[in-house]
Amino acid sequence: MTRAPSTPPAAAAPPQARPSTVVPVLAFSGIVVSLTQTLMIPLVPKLPELLSASPADAAWAITATLLAAAVATPTVGRLGDMHGKRRMLLFSLGMLVLGSVVCALSNGLVLMVVGRVLQGLSSGVIPLGISIMRDELPPERLGGATALMSASLGVGGALGLPAAAFIAEKADWHTLFWVAAALGAAAAVLVTTLVPESRVRTRGRFDLPGAVGLSIALLCLLLVISKGADWGWSGWLTPGLLVAGLVVLAVWGWWELRTPHPLVDLRTTARRQVLLTNIASVVFGFAMFATSLVIPQLLQLPAATGYGLGQSILAAGLVMAPNGLIMMAMSPVSARISRARGPKVTLMVGALVVATGYGLSLVMMSTIWQLMIASSIIGAGVGLAYGAMPALVMAAVPVSETAAANSLNTLMRSIGTSLSSSIAGAVLAHLTIDLAGAAVPSLAGFRVVLAIGAVAALFALVVASFLPGPARR
C-alpha cells in the first residue's frame, strides 16, 4: 500500500517573491554595479597626476577591474548555483562597497588598484539577478524582468558618465567613490530585506581546479588584448602570455569534460543555441562599446580639428545619457517581441537596428544632435538584443545551471568590450593628425571604428539567423 507524500505545513513554506519589489531592486543593483565601471572615465586624463604614477602604470586602475571581473563572473555564478544566488549577490555587493571605500581612501596607485580589483569582483550581480528572476518570478513576468536586468549593464554606464563628470568637476574626486559605496550599501540593504533566497540549488563539489585554470587563461588572454599594443609583439611577454593562455585554456577544456562537477558544463555550452548566443554576445559587447569610444572623443576634440565639437566631458556625458535611457525603455519592447516572435527574432532586430545606427553615424557626426540621434538608435538596438540574450540562454540550460550560464554570457560581453577597446584604440592611434604639435585621432580613424561597429552588428545578425527558432505546436 503506497502512502501519499506528506505536505509541509504552510508556515514552513519559503516566502514568495513579489515581482513589484524584486525586479526594481535587482535592476537597481545591476545599474549600481555597471555605474561603477564608468566612474573612472572622467579621471583617466588626470590619473597620472592624481596617483603620482606614469601613464602606463596609472592605466592599471582601469585594467585591474576588467581582469577581476573576468575571473569573478563565472566563479561567482557557479557558487550561486551551488550555495545560494542571493548569498553570492550580497557578497558581490559587499565587494563593491569595500572596493569603493578603499578607492575613496587612496591617494596612490597601489591602494587604488586594490580597490578597483575589489570593485571588479562585483561583476556577477547582473547574471545572478537574472538567475534569481528565473527561479522566483512567474513566467508571464520573467521576459520583461530579465530584459530590464540585462539592459542595466548599459544603462548604468550611460547614466554614470555624466554623473561622474559632474561630481568630478564640482567636488573632490574621492567623492565619486564615496557615492559608489553609498549606492552599493543601499542596494545590499534592499536585497537583504526584499529579495528572497532562491530555492534552486546544484549539488556536488565546487570545481576549484577548473576555477583556477579558467582564471589563469582569462588573465593571460585579456592582458594580451588590453596591453598587447602597449607592450609590443616583438618581445617575449605578449606572445608568451598568448601561448600560455591558449595552452591553459586547452588543458582547462580537457579537465572540464572529464570532471563530474565542472565549473562550466562545456557540453551544455556547446549546444547551438547557447554557443551562438554567446558568440553574438561578444559581437554586441564590441558594438556597444565602440560608440562609447568614438562619440565622447568627437564631442571633446577642439573645433580647430575641423570635426571636433569642443565640448566638456560633462556635455559629452549628457549627450550619451539618452543612450542608456532608451536602452532601458526598450526592455519591455524586447520582451513583447520575444513573446510574439521568439527571442531569436528580437536578437536579429536588435542587430539590424545597431547596424543602422552605426551606418547613420558615418554621415551624421557634424553636430551634437546628430551624434545624439545616432547614439540613441544604437542604444535602442542594444536594448533589444540584451533583452533577448538571457531568454535564449535560459531556454537551453537546466534551471540548476542558470547562474553559471548567465555569468558566462556576461563574460562574453565583457570580452567583446575589451576587444572593442583594444581594436578601436589601435585604429585611432595609427590614424592621426597633428594639432599644435600633438597627435589626435583623425576623422578617418573615427569613421573606420564606426564602420567596424556596423560590420560587427551585421555579423551578429548573421550569427543570430542560425539560432533555432521557437518550437512549433
Side-chain angles (χ1 to χ4, degrees):
M1 180 176 181
T2 59
R3 186 175 58 182
S6 60
T7 305
Q16 295 294 313
R18 297 177 59 188
S20 59
T21 55
V22 169
V23 174
V25 167
L26 292 176
F28 172 71
S29 301
I31 290 173
V32 170
V33 170
S34 59
L35 184 147
T36 61
Q37 309 305 315
T38 60
L39 284 179
M40 297 292 288
I41 293 178
L43 302 178
V44 167
K46 304 176 183 177
L47 277 180
E49 176 186 352
L50 296 175
L51 301 177
S52 302
S54 67
D57 289 340
W60 282 103
I62 307 296
T63 307
T65 307
L66 164 70
L67 299 178
V71 170
T73 302
T75 302
V76 169
R78 186 60 176 169
L79 288 171
D81 282 332
M82 297 179 68
H83 301 296
K85 302 176 182 71
R86 176 174 172 268
R87 180 179 299 174
M88 296 312 301
L89 181 62
L90 289 171
F91 165 81
S92 299
L93 290 171
M95 292 298 100
L96 184 148
V97 173
L98 179 60
S100 299
V101 171
V102 170
C103 290
L105 296 174
S106 68
N107 285 302
L109 179 63
V110 174
L111 204 58
M112 175 62 78
V113 170
V114 170
R116 292 292 287 169
V117 167
L118 292 172
Q119 283 186 325
L121 297 179
S122 67
S123 62
V125 164
I126 291 176
L128 286 169
I130 292 173
S131 304
I132 291 173
M133 289 175 176
R134 184 189 191 184
D135 294 345
E136 302 299 325
L137 298 184
E140 65 272 12
R141 295 294 301 271
L142 184 59
T146 57
L148 178 62
M149 190 72 193
S150 185
S152 68
L153 183 66
V155 173
L159 299 182
L161 182 58
F166 178 79
I167 294 174
E169 285 186 3
K170 304 298 181 181
D172 179 72
W173 64 274
H174 294 89
T175 307
L176 289 170
F177 297 102
W178 288 120
V179 171
L183 290 173
V189 171
L190 291 172
V191 169
T192 302
T193 55
L194 298 175
V195 177
E197 178 59 88
S198 171
R199 292 157 286 172
V200 180
R201 301 288 177 90
T202 299
R203 297 180 180 179
R205 291 183 177 181
F206 178 70
D207 180 17
L208 182 59
V212 172
L214 181 59
S215 299
I216 293 173
L218 289 173
L219 285 173
C220 292
L221 296 175
L222 287 173
L223 280 172
V224 170
I225 292 172
S226 59
K227 291 291 186 179
D230 297 332
W231 292 341
W233 296 88
S234 57
W236 63 271
L237 183 57
T238 304
L241 283 173
L242 178 60
V243 172
L246 294 175
V247 169
V248 173
L249 191 63
V251 174
W252 172 81
W254 175 87
W255 169 263
E256 293 297 286
L257 289 172
R258 283 158 179 78
T259 186
H261 305 290
L263 178 74
V264 177
D265 189 338
L266 294 182
R267 292 180 177 86
T268 299
T269 306
R271 293 175 183 171
R272 184 172 64 157
Q273 184 155 320
V274 180
L275 178 63
L276 292 180
T277 301
N278 285 333
I279 293 173
S281 297
V282 175
V283 181
F284 265 101
F286 185 104
M288 184 192 77
F289 202 64
T291 184
S292 301
L293 293 169
V294 170
I295 293 180
Q297 291 194 64
L298 277 172
L299 288 163
Q300 293 177 74
L301 279 175
T305 58
Y307 49 87
L309 299 178
Q311 301 295 314
S312 67
I313 189 170
L314 176 57
L318 291 172
V319 171
M320 294 296 294
N323 177 290
L325 296 174
I326 290 175
M327 202 178 297
M328 178 180 287
M330 295 305 294
S331 299
V333 179
S334 175
R336 196 173 298 118
I337 297 174
S338 295
R339 283 195 299 269
R341 299 290 184 180
K344 170 185 175 178
V345 173
T346 310
L347 186 59
M348 294 177 67
V349 171
L352 188 59
V353 173
V354 170
T356 301
Y358 273 110
L360 289 175
S361 67
L362 288 169
V363 296
M364 296 176 60
M365 50 197 310
S366 58
T367 62
I368 293 176
W369 69 266
Q370 289 179 345
L371 291 174
M372 187 179 291
I373 288 176
S375 170
S376 298
I377 292 173
I378 293 170
V382 172
L384 287 171
Y386 274 16
M389 288 174 187
L392 286 164
V393 171
M394 291 189 295
V397 301
V399 175
S400 59
E401 297 179 18
T402 302
N406 279 315
S407 296
L408 183 62
N409 184 253
T410 302
L411 175 62
M412 293 300 104
R413 300 189 213 178
S414 299
I415 290 174
T417 59
S418 302
L419 287 170
S420 177
S421 177
S422 179
I423 294 173
V427 170
L428 297 178
H430 284 85
L431 297 176
T432 62
I433 63 170
D434 182 79
L435 181 67
V440 298
S442 67
L443 182 61
F446 288 125
R447 282 181 168 151
V448 168
V449 174
L450 293 172
I452 293 174
V455 171
L458 291 174
F459 178 72
L461 175 64
V462 173
V463 171
S465 68
F466 287 96
L467 285 164
R472 295 184 179 274
R473 291 183 179 274

